[in-house]
Amino acid sequence: GQQVMQIPQYQHVQEGEDFTTYCNSSTTLSNIQWYKQRPGGHPVFLIQLVKSGEVKKQKRLTFQFGEAKKNSSLHITATQTTDVGTYFCAGSFYNQGGKLIFGQGTELSVKP
Amino acid sequence: DGGITQSPKYLFRKEGQNVTLSCEQNLNHDAMYWYRQDPGQGLRLIYYSQIVNDFQKGDIAEGYSVSREKKESFPLTVTSAQKNPTAFYLCASSVGGTFHYNEQFFGPGTRLTVL
């Protein structure tokens, strides 16, 4: 079936460094959502991207949707210890009845 | 407070036993979902329901069953036919309509261990 691939699986950074996680699909996505899961917690919705080339910002977080709607990225500027957790992208395909397909997630650890 | 509750938080069962995981929401959401999460993997969809008395199989429905008799409740039964049931199970809900455009609200999850 159709998949959403997410890299890297793990990222260890020093506090203050930047962080980026990428999601890719071989098929055009209708939309993509991003979630954050803190250690021991449950996923929490961050944002949704729908339009080709869309860029959205939330404080230090920048989300992008590719022009072809096949890739997306989440960039965190100047990471803080509160950013620790696993970030998931989740995309929908036009022929999949609206189901969200989650990427494998990127686990971010931040060293103070 | 509105939200999604799942119980219990931890569940232990012997191999060969069926077990039912509870999921209740008071958000007045039409759509509800069950996901399975394994270490190092993303969430995989087991079943989903867009309306009461209707539900569809997700990507890994084998060995699982659900019911949706009430809008607020979407219990998941892990049957003995599920070959590898030990996992973290997450329930979610979203408003109705074109549901893949709606954010999903997740419950705290149930960690099932089959001994």
Side-chain angles (χ1 to χ4, degrees), chain A residues 4-93:
Chain A
V4 175
M5 306 303 294
Q6 188 173 357
I7 57 168
Q9 188 173 0
Y10 303 98
Q11 186 77 55
H12 309 284
V13 301
Q14 193 77 33
E15 189 172 21
E17 292 181 339
D18 292 356
F19 159 77
T20 305
T21 175
Y22 302 89
C23 282
N24 292 284
S25 167
S26 58
T27 310
T28 303
L29 297 161
S30 64
N31 62 301
I32 195 159
Q33 297 180 359
W34 286 90
Y35 291 80
K36 176 183 179 181
Q37 184 175 22
R38 295 183 184 275
H42 57 275
V44 174
F45 176 83
L46 293 176
I47 209 158
Q48 174 168 260
L49 305 171
V50 179
K51 299 177 182 177
S52 168
E54 191 168 14
V55 178
K56 288 188 176 180
K57 294 189 176 184
Q58 290 180 349
K59 297 182 180 179
R60 295 178 293 104
L61 278 62
T62 301
F63 304 84
Q64 293 188 326
F65 203 9
E67 293 289 341
K69 298 181 71 173
K70 290 184 177 181
N71 58 77
S72 182
S73 64
L74 158 59
H75 179 82
I76 301 178
T77 304
T79 55
Q80 300 175 358
T81 54
T82 54
D83 295 325
V84 164
T86 300
Y87 293 85
F88 292 98
C89 60
S92 290
F93 298 94

Side-chain angles (χ1 to χ4, degrees), chain B residues 10-94:
Chain B
Y10 299 96
L11 190 55
F12 297 88
R13 278 294 180 269
K14 292 184 179 180
E15 193 173 345
Q17 291 181 335
N18 291 355
V19 60
T20 297
L21 311 184
S22 167
C23 177
E24 303 278 333
Q25 56 99 358
N26 61 4
L27 299 168
N28 199 33
H29 285 170
D30 286 313
M32 296 187 74
Y33 317 82
W34 274 105
Y35 292 93
R36 169 181 173 140
Q37 186 174 30
D38 295 284
Q41 296 192 35
L43 282 64
R44 292 185 289 168
L45 184 64
I46 305 173
Y47 268 97
Y48 63 103
S49 168
Q50 293 177 263
I51 198 167
V52 175
N53 292 321
D54 188 43
F55 49 83
Q56 288 78 40
K57 293 182 179 180
D59 299 316
I60 56 166
E62 186 175 351
Y64 300 97
S65 65
V66 293
S67 63
R68 186 85 189 275
E69 297 177 0
K70 298 187 298 182
K71 187 175 184 177
E72 306 79 32
S73 178
F74 192 39
L76 172 74
T77 296
V78 184
T79 75
S80 56
Q82 167 51 231
K83 294 180 181 178
N84 187 18
T86 295
F88 187 46
Y89 290 88
L90 287 157
C91 178
S93 71
S94 66

